[in-house]
């Protein structure tokens, strides 16, 4: 019996799994929101900037080192040709490669830090070690996603993010208010996450499965520039500010970056369901599955983005010490959601049609253009303009991937107009809030209004859907009676 037969293609990663992934991402976001206000007030502005920069480095480089392999591991699981063994072997390759490269980077950062009296590079040394360890977590999650085990997937996500930041917060409360103490505790929690990952899913040595070392390197090579560019597009603004305007300014932008990362985290969580639904589809049903998932992704991205924009005013007052200059930045950042959702769905399809080599060119090109546009606002610095460039970069990313993937799929498989209308609605909403007062009370009003408006829209949609279902049932009943009458 083949792997594909053992794992049915239909019914995988349905609504229950999607809801569990969503719950996990919300738990992550809530945990970080509850932790950050304490950390940013306990640490000095400089020390918080170092923590924010180190965590961004961890998130950027670990995905760079993964080289797109997690999705490849999930896709390979459904392959009829010994897919499960090959998937676990690729997981083993990812674990070993990340650990090796992370150690090399840590040694390099250590040599660079010997002459720096501030000790800043030593936080980067620890960040590199953490990066090497997180490859195991990424690989285990890729297998868990293919196995449709969302609870275990969420446990790993929470351990490696929320608990890690919570450990950092506890450490600066007890041991000392420095960035180094925070990152040491963060790394200890990541070690626990690695142990949990190995218990949940045991990798296989890549050389034990013929050809998998070479296959992993062949897949990772073209995806390496894509994944690095994607993470820099996501969080590189903090690094750019740190270089051009200093760690303090980077810390300010990083404090509200959660209003971009929050929606992206939720969409990434739901993509665990979207990707498996697309990858497990029969060729005959792929077009309908793409259209279904893409339409769902557009609507969810709009809802998530609007909620984040509505919460930006009150959120900036809670999460930052300078809301007056950061509220508008926080309101603009969630606009990244529509472009990112389109990229996710189109990227999944590129894995299915085996055209992932295109990613090596498309994403870096978008990053290059976005970086050139971001240089001036990052140098000035004009944080609101930088946030607008940030959002525009993701719109360009989604559009570029749609153009690329439509060469290999029918045009009517993609509800492009839905994305355009949703994007225009979100931009218009953010523009209206730009002129609203920057006060915590008005922020509560904005959040409440956004929640009520989306709630009413949801109820109207449900009512319309029920009416449509009732009409279909009546039509089906009439057709059945007509058939019976004709038979008589």
């Amino acid at each position: 019996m083949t792997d594909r037969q053992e794992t049915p293609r239909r019914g995988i990663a349905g609504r229950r799994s999607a809801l569990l992934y969503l719950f996990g991402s919300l738990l992550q976001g809530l945990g970080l929101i509850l932790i950050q206000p304490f950390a940013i007030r306990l640490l000095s502005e400089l020390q918080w900037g170092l923590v924010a920069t180190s965590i961004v480095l961890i998130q950027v480089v670990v995905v760079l080192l993964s080289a797109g392999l997690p999705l490849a591991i999930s896709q390979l699981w459904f392959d009829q040709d010994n897919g499960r063994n090959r998937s676990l072997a690729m997981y083993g390759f990812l674990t070993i490669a990340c650990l090796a490269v992370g150690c090399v980077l840590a040694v390099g950062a250590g040599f660079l830090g010997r002459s720096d009296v501030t000790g800043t590079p030593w936080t980067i040394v620890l960040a590199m070690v953490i990066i090497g360890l997180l490859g195991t977590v990424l690989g285990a999650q890729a297998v868990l996603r293919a196995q449709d085990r969302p609870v275990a997937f969420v446990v790993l996500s929470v351990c490696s993010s929320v608990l890690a930041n919570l450990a950092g917060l506890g450490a600066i409360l007890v041991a000392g208010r420095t960035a180094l103490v925070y990152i040491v505790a963060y790394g200890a929690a990541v070690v626990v996450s690695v142990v949990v990952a190995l218990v949940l899913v045991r990798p296989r040595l890549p050389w034990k499965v013929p050809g998998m070392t070479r296959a992993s390197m062949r897949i990772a090579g073209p995806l390496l520039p894509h994944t690095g560019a994607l993470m820099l597009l996501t969080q590189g603004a903090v690094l750019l500010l740190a270089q051009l305007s200093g760690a303090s300014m980077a810390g300010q932008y990083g404090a509200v970056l959660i209003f971009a990362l929050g929606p992206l985290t939720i969409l990434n969580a739901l993509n665990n369901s979207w990707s498996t639904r697309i990858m497990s589809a029969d060729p005959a049903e792929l077009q309908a599955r793409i259209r279904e998932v893409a339409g769902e992704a557009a609507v969810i991205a709009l809802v998530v983005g609007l909620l984040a924009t509505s919460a930006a005013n009150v959120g900036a007052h809670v999460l930052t010490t300078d809301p007056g200059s950061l509220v508008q930045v926080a309101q603009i950042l969630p606009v990244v959601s529509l472009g990112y959702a389109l990229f996710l769905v189109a990227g999944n399809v590129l894995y299915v049609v085996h055209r992932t080599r295109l990613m090596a060119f498309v994403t870096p090109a978008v990053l290059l253009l976005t970086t050139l546009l971001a240089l001036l606002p990052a140098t000035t610095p004009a944080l609101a303009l930088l946030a607008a460039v940030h959002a525009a970069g993701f719109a360009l990313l989604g559009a570029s991937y749609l153009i690329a993937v439509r060469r290999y799929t029918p045009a009517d498989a993609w509800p492009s107009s839905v994305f355009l209308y949703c994007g225009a609605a979100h931009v218009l909403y953010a523009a209206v809030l730009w002129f609203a007062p920057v006060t915590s009370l008005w922020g509560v009003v904005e959040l409440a209004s956004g929640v009520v408006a989306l709630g009413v829209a949801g109820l109207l949609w449900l009512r319309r859907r029920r009416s449509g279902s009732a009409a279909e049932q009546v039509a089906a009943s009439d057709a059945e009676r007509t058939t019976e009458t004709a038979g008589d």
Side-chain angles (χ1 to χ4, degrees), residues 108-186:
F111 277 113
L112 291 175
R114 288 190 303 176
S115 61
D116 196 321
V117 296
T118 66
T120 301
W122 297 111
T123 60
I124 298 176
V125 171
L126 290 176
M128 297 301 106
V129 175
I130 292 169
I131 285 163
L133 294 170
L134 282 173
T136 304
V137 176
L138 288 172
Q141 287 182 312
V143 177
L144 291 170
R145 176 172 55 225
Q147 292 175 337
D148 198 21
R149 296 168 62 188
V151 174
F153 186 103
V154 168
V155 167
L156 276 182
S157 296
V158 171
C159 286
S160 60
S161 61
V162 178
L163 292 184
N165 281 285
L166 187 60
L169 177 61
I172 61 175
L173 281 169
V174 175
R177 300 183 180 184
T178 67
L180 188 59
V181 169
Y182 191 104
I183 298 300
V184 167
Y186 186 104

Side-chain angles (χ1 to χ4, degrees), residues 352-426:
V352 173
V353 298
H354 303 291
R355 293 293 186 272
T356 54
R357 289 181 180 275
L358 290 172
M359 296 179 172
F361 306 99
V362 176
T363 313
V366 173
L367 173 65
L368 177 61
L369 179 58
T370 305
T371 303
L372 291 175
L373 294 174
L375 287 175
L376 179 60
T379 305
T380 308
L383 298 187
L385 181 57
L386 182 62
V389 173
H390 201 155
F394 274 90
L396 178 61
L397 180 72
S400 300
Y401 269 80
L402 178 61
I403 293 171
V405 79
R406 284 184 64 172
R407 295 177 56 192
Y408 308 102
T409 55
D412 56 1
W414 297 93
S416 307
S417 59
V418 176
F419 281 91
L420 286 174
Y421 293 143
C422 290
H426 195 172

Side-chain angles (χ1 to χ4, degrees), residues 175-375:
R177 300 183 180 184
T178 67
L180 188 59
V181 169
Y182 191 104
I183 298 300
V184 167
Y186 186 104
V190 169
V191 172
V192 175
S193 303
V194 170
V195 173
V196 174
L198 293 173
V199 170
L200 290 171
V201 184
R202 291 185 60 185
R204 296 189 179 175
L205 296 174
W207 51 84
K208 294 290 186 179
V209 179
M212 280 314 298
T213 300
R214 182 179 298 176
S216 299
M217 295 179 68
R218 186 172 62 249
I219 293 173
L223 291 174
L224 183 62
H226 154 71
T227 50
L230 177 62
M231 291 310 297
L232 288 173
L233 190 64
T234 304
Q235 304 183 57
V238 174
L239 303 178
L240 192 64
L241 279 170
Q243 290 295 318
L244 298 178
S245 298
S248 296
M249 193 59 63
Q252 287 188 24
Y253 195 87
V256 292
L257 190 59
I258 191 169
F259 290 96
L261 298 182
L264 299 192
T265 300
I266 291 174
L267 295 175
N268 272 326
L270 291 173
N271 190 51
N272 292 308
S273 172
W274 297 335
S275 62
T276 321
R277 284 160 62 188
I278 290 173
M279 291 175 180
S280 62
D282 289 318
E285 64 181 7
L286 181 60
Q287 178 177 338
R289 188 71 61 85
I290 292 172
R291 188 169 187 85
E292 174 191 342
V293 171
E296 179 182 317
V299 174
I300 291 177
L302 175 62
V303 172
V304 170
L306 289 178
L307 282 174
T309 297
S310 299
N313 194 339
V314 66
H317 281 83
V318 174
L319 295 174
T320 74
T321 56
D322 185 18
S325 61
L326 294 174
V327 164
Q328 292 176 334
V329 178
Q331 289 170 338
I332 296 170
L333 284 173
V335 179
V336 302
S337 59
L338 262 298
Y340 191 69
L342 181 55
F343 153 74
L344 287 175
V345 178
N348 291 331
V349 177
L350 286 178
Y351 275 91
V352 173
V353 298
H354 303 291
R355 293 293 186 272
T356 54
R357 289 181 180 275
L358 290 172
M359 296 179 172
F361 306 99
V362 176
T363 313
V366 173
L367 173 65
L368 177 61
L369 179 58
T370 305
T371 303
L372 291 175
L373 294 174
L375 287 175

Side-chain angles (χ1 to χ4, degrees), residues 266 298-311 334 337-338 422 425-426 429 433 445-463:
I266 291 174
V299 174
I300 291 177
L302 175 62
V303 172
V304 170
L306 289 178
L307 282 174
T309 297
S310 299
S337 59
L338 262 298
C422 290
H426 195 172
Y429 183 65
L433 291 187
V445 172
E446 290 175 3
L447 177 58
S449 300
V451 171
V452 169
L454 290 172
V456 170
L459 289 174
L460 291 175
W461 177 79
L462 286 174
R463 183 178 179 182

